[in-house]
Amino acid sequence: MNEKVRCLIIGSGPAGYTAAIYASRANLSPVLYEGMEPGGQLTTTTEVENFPGYPTGITGPELMEDLRKQAERFGADIRFGAATSTDLSSIPYKVVIDGEKTIEADTIIISTGATAKYLGLADEKKYAGSGVSACATCDGFFYRKKVVAVVGGGDTACEEAVYLANLASKVFVIVRKKKLRASKIMQERMLTNPKIDVLFEHETLGLTGDGVVQGADLIKRKGQEDEQKIHIDIDGFFLAIGHKPNSDIFKPWIDTDEVGYIKTIPGTPRTNLKGIFAAGDVADPHYRQAITAAGTGCQAAIEAERYLSENNF
Ligand code: NDP
């Protein structure tokens, strides 16, 4: 049987939970489905030191737990379950949860986040949180005066390498092709930095270390006659090979860019559909921070409240 709700929030990172705090305080009786990874990407990090309000830092899972409890305190209905398909062709919008139950909603806040891409090496899982990271801004601080490697040749890799070079003593950048994909200005910034050593035509075979990352085995010109294996000593291994926004189930109705990020009207969380708002990393190719996600979650809830009252729902 279908269930009807006023405000449906899909996804449970900082954007979703913040939207739930605001929406429940505005008496929208929000229902939030947590998705496959309750708490989102931050639950895979350890210490979060840049979320305002925590002068001594907090772990990612604790921060998410606090946000969830804060939303529940005001009555948000937070549930296990993931949205598996949608029909946004008419109002009320319809969202299927776990392939079974259909929720009809007057307004929807999409906060399904993005997933960092990994190389697929077993060692990435083995050293997760112990030297492997997909976010230099989040974890770079822990590598002050240490040696790190960044994988990737796009703008993110260049930006993260330059950011890390301000903290670390040395940064290797591991690029699989002969050239970078990044914009000229980003390339220049990276290539002229004396602390950064770019290893073109290198791929990562595996990571080494006793409990924490201490090195990486690389291969140069894999499959060619002059193929060559090398080892580098590093303390941190940062992936910067792109993110995949979790927007697939909305794509038939909601406008996205070529990568899949939901397009919003600049400065707002409004999508191309009335009453549907996008917050957090699913709509943010640029900042991808917990605090910016929380900020847009707040905006989305305020927009949802205005939309409902202006349209007499
Ligand atoms: P991109 O898709 O632009 O680049 C990904 C990079 O990772 C490429 O160099 C790619 O290599 C490499 N890569 C992908 N898969 C693998 C793999 N399995 N092994 C090794 N290398 C791999 O992603 P970005 O995150 O860099 O950028 C996303 C978007 O955001 C872009 O449009 C970018 O311009 C924008 N952006 C802009 C910034 C700015 O302007 N300040 C900052 C950050 C991002 P290959 O080239 O061989 O395919």
Side-chain angles (χ1 to χ4, degrees), residues 171-188:
V171 180
F172 290 104
V173 179
I174 303 166
V175 182
R176 66 180 171 183
K177 287 194 183 138
K178 271 186 189 164
K179 59 181 176 96
L180 298 162
R181 186 194 288 205
S183 55
K184 282 279 168 279
I185 185 162
M186 298 299 288
Q187 291 196 24
E188 210 173 286

Side-chain angles (χ1 to χ4, degrees), residues 196-266:
I196 299 177
D197 189 356
V198 184
L199 305 172
F200 287 102
E201 293 183 273
H202 280 74
E203 288 176 48
T204 311
L205 296 173
L207 301 171
T208 58
D210 189 8
V212 294
V213 170
Q214 291 170 316
D217 291 319
L218 310 180
I219 187 159
K220 186 175 183 185
R221 298 202 188 95
K222 189 178 174 188
Q224 296 179 37
E225 272 180 16
D226 54 351
E227 169 183 293
Q228 200 184 331
K229 285 186 182 167
I230 64 161
H231 178 86
I232 52 173
D233 290 327
I234 52 168
D235 305 290
F237 185 76
F238 288 83
L239 282 309
I241 59 172
H243 282 74
K244 185 184 180 313
N246 301 317
S247 62
D248 287 353
I249 59 167
F250 308 104
K251 277 185 185 164
W253 292 275
I254 301 279
D255 291 345
T256 62
D257 69 9
E258 63 282 359
V259 181
Y261 287 99
I262 292 179
K263 284 188 186 170
T264 52
I265 295 171

